[in-house]
Amino acid sequence: MEDYISVDKASKTHRKNAALGRDVDPSSLKTILVVEDNMINRTLLSKMLSGQYTVLEAGNGQDALEMLHEHGDEISAVLLDLVMPVMDGYAVLEVMQTNERYRNLPVVVTTGSSHHDSERRALSLGAWDFVTKPYDAEIILFRLKNVIERSQLTAFKQLKYLSEYDALTGLYNKTKFFDATRKLLDANCHESFVFLRFDVDRFQLINSFFGTAEGDKLLVYIARELAVDAKQYSKASYGRIESDIVALCVPYHPVQLEEMVRQSKKTLALFNVNYDIVPSIGIYVIDDPAISIEEMYNRATLAAKTCKGNYVDFYAYYNESMSIALNKEQEITNEMNFALEHGQFEIYLQPKYNIHTNLPCGAEALVRWMHPQKGMLSPGEFIPVFERNGFITKLDYYVWEQACKCLHNWVAQGIRPYPISVNVSRVNIYNPNLVEMLMELLGRYQLEPGLLNLELTESAYTDNPAAMKKTMAQLQSHGFIILMDDFGSGYSSLSLLKDIMIDILKIDMRFLSASEFAGRGENIIASVIRMAKWLNIPVVAEGAETVEQVDFLRSVGCDYVQGYYYARPMQISDYEQLCINFSLDMQMRIDQKYDSYCYDDLFSQNEEMKSLFPNHLQAAVICEYYADKIELVRVNEAYYALVGHGDVMTKSANILDMLDEAYQATLLRAFHLCVQTLEPGECEYMRRRTNGTPLWIGAKLRYISTVGNKHILIVELTDITMRKAIDTELQKYKEYMEFHLEGAGNHEDE
């Protein structure tokens, strides 16, 4: 029976294995899966292999797949018969090729067929080797040994590759790149080299907007172009550090380097013209080859940070001042925990003032670092470091608790507490336990949420709008007041106002800094305040330092001011004394008086404005007059009673467009004269109601102020339609009488 192995030959092989000392602990043997439907062949193969291998048996392809599923990680190779019932060997090979777990498992095909077609088909489906029946035991053992060693070598190479190369781009990974760079520099110690670090501005937006698959394509593209750049040099090392960061070390030739850097931006832009991809490139000309490659990378990173987000100057060279900054940051990091534990952080309070009463109405908690050797450190020195290393979460909580202690002490002393606002860093905004942490603090110090106001930065909204909206809604549902700090400094201000229920806006007086366009800063601030008033959102202007700035803010209806003009940040004891120095009873009466005015009156808290609004039943508007345009800024409810809530003029950028040409000239003359003389003026004009009927208006104008290039006037409106109708009838009667009197006189002459 030539299809079978002889019993004598199998026994001889088994005895040979035993003589060679191959009968060892079965747990140390590799496992072979024998798949053979003929029981005699299967038994003889198992007996032959048992001296060197642990043998698992399967009678058909289906049983083989079940064995692979159960013991696949233990099996070193498969002896697979091709012709079997239920599922043949070809089907098993197809399944193994489609399964990542089994794809690299060695398979030696066994068959009694001598046709080459069977061999070709099996090999095309992933078989590693091929043996025919009748079997030669020694050939079987040798071929198994060879495929297992090949698979182990392949696995070793794969592991080595994975340990040294980035799986996505095929570049060296960080560890291998650093090692290759070290060898490159050591082998060329008399040559000057440069270390470059590349990344892509706003790379995360590519992933967010176009998907991670598109982001991966971009990384592969960058890797390919980096390799092209490296090939310009006879010596180079390059690799992917992480995410979108790649690095390159090449000989330093200034002209060639500058050309390569400039070209890299153009090449990157070619990936997709719609993406507006800009690199940030940090360059460290290696002046000390002895330092670690990690330090070289850090120096290039410091340089890259200085040009991040700069479309024009997208690359920068490292200099020593950057290293000094890095060392300073490290010092801060080394000392921060000790400083917190030993109370070196001190809370200062900067008062917020009601601009109409010039009385304090709350404060913002700011933190100072009282360093025992360096003196007082300002937040600008350490807050950015804490935001980068995550320590800001601990400092935030410390400030919150100190503010709660202050409020609790004032209540205990019978001092009326005004709210204290505290900053919430963007890291804490995304803390799922934020609400619980704050409520626990308030409970411990027996405070209402309204006393601890929370300041969030607008820039945090751009990072994760959905998360910020969710957090704010949770906080407000518990009674917290949310202030939006640095409003207008980002690119999402209008979207933020539309999507998030903000309680108070804070705007920065930096808008009034020198500009080549006169009055533009003032117009921006006035517009923001006006917009906030329409939404019934109070405004705090921070950074007011001069009487001119305060007067300007008061004239455009700002509610509250925080800045050096009123008070600098001060110690808690000084703030307490400041509040005590004011009469609490007087303060309460003033608060009640001003709280009674509705935001709808816009500037009504201004004493001059109140004198101009003696009768709230009188229809009145506030207008901006500039460049022969008249725009409605604010109207009261009486205005809508006069013209109707569907009035088109409130929606027009220039109300003159809504009037007939003759009345445009009348209204313009009145506004122009009032601004020129600063004296009250008046005029009459006709416009159409929403139903098309004529409406005659009597307008009394008063000049208020000038903001930038715009003049602000208040106009009281009276419906004089009836009077005009009477005047018309009287005129008709007068003309009628004159006509008849003239006719009677003529008859008398006759």
Side-chain angles (χ1 to χ4, degrees), residues 19-20 36 47 69 81 95 137 162 171 211 228 231 237 271 276 294 315 383 393 504 521 574-575 583 587 685-686 738:
L20 292 173
E36 168 68 67
K47 187 173 183 181
H69 178 72
D81 191 18
V95 172
L162 291 174
L171 301 181
V228 171
K231 287 177 182 177
S237 64
F271 175 75
D276 192 25
E294 182 79 39
Y315 66 94
I383 292 295
T393 58
I504 299 173
D574 294 334
Y575 177 77
S583 169
Q587 181 65 51
Y685 63 94
M686 190 274 288
E738 288 177 348

Side-chain angles (χ1 to χ4, degrees), residues 246-394:
V246 296
L248 171 71
C249 184
V250 294
Y252 178 46
H253 305 301
V255 175
Q256 186 178 0
L257 174 66
E258 291 279 340
E259 176 60 28
M260 181 183 71
V261 168
R262 284 192 293 269
Q263 187 60 38
S264 68
K265 181 181 178 182
K266 298 177 182 178
T267 303
L268 195 58
L270 293 176
F271 175 75
N272 190 315
V273 295
N274 297 317
Y275 289 176
D276 192 25
I277 302 171
V278 180
S280 292
I281 304 176
I283 305 172
Y284 168 52
V285 179
I286 301 174
D287 53 8
D288 183 4
I291 65 174
S292 68
I293 306 301
E294 182 79 39
E295 177 62 20
M296 295 179 188
Y297 171 72
N298 289 339
R299 293 184 179 187
T301 299
L302 285 174
K305 287 181 178 179
T306 65
C307 59
K308 193 74 172 173
N310 192 323
Y311 188 87
V312 178
D313 299 323
F314 61 93
Y315 66 94
Y317 288 85
Y318 167 83
N319 59 57
E320 192 63 29
S321 64
M322 298 176 185
S323 188
I324 293 172
L326 180 63
N327 291 334
K328 185 175 181 180
E329 179 170 333
Q330 189 58 50
E331 285 182 12
I332 290 173
T333 301
N334 294 340
E335 296 177 349
M336 60 190 185
N337 283 297
F338 181 87
L340 186 63
E341 293 170 4
H342 292 78
Q344 293 180 14
F345 293 105
E346 185 173 336
I347 304 304
Y348 273 51
L349 297 176
Q350 185 172 28
K352 299 173 185 176
Y353 280 77
N354 184 313
I355 197 171
H356 310 294
T357 66
N358 291 323
L359 295 174
C361 55
E364 178 183 1
L366 305 170
V367 64
R368 302 289 185 265
W369 187 346
M370 302 301 178
H371 196 283
Q373 285 80 41
K374 302 174 184 177
M376 185 174 75
L377 304 180
S378 70
E381 296 182 67
F382 56 86
I383 292 295
V385 179
F386 293 168
E387 288 177 339
R388 287 192 291 271
N389 63 30
F391 187 74
I392 192 67
T393 58
K394 293 183 179 179

Side-chain angles (χ1 to χ4, degrees), residues 625 628 630 665-683 701-703 711 713:
Y625 168 57
D628 287 342
I630 302 173
T666 299
L667 201 57
L668 270 177
R669 282 195 300 271
F671 269 79
H672 183 72
L673 185 61
C674 185
V675 169
Q676 289 295 314
T677 64
L678 304 184
E679 295 293 330
E682 57 183 84
C683 67
L701 293 68
R702 295 197 185 189
Y703 171 84
H711 308 290
L713 294 88

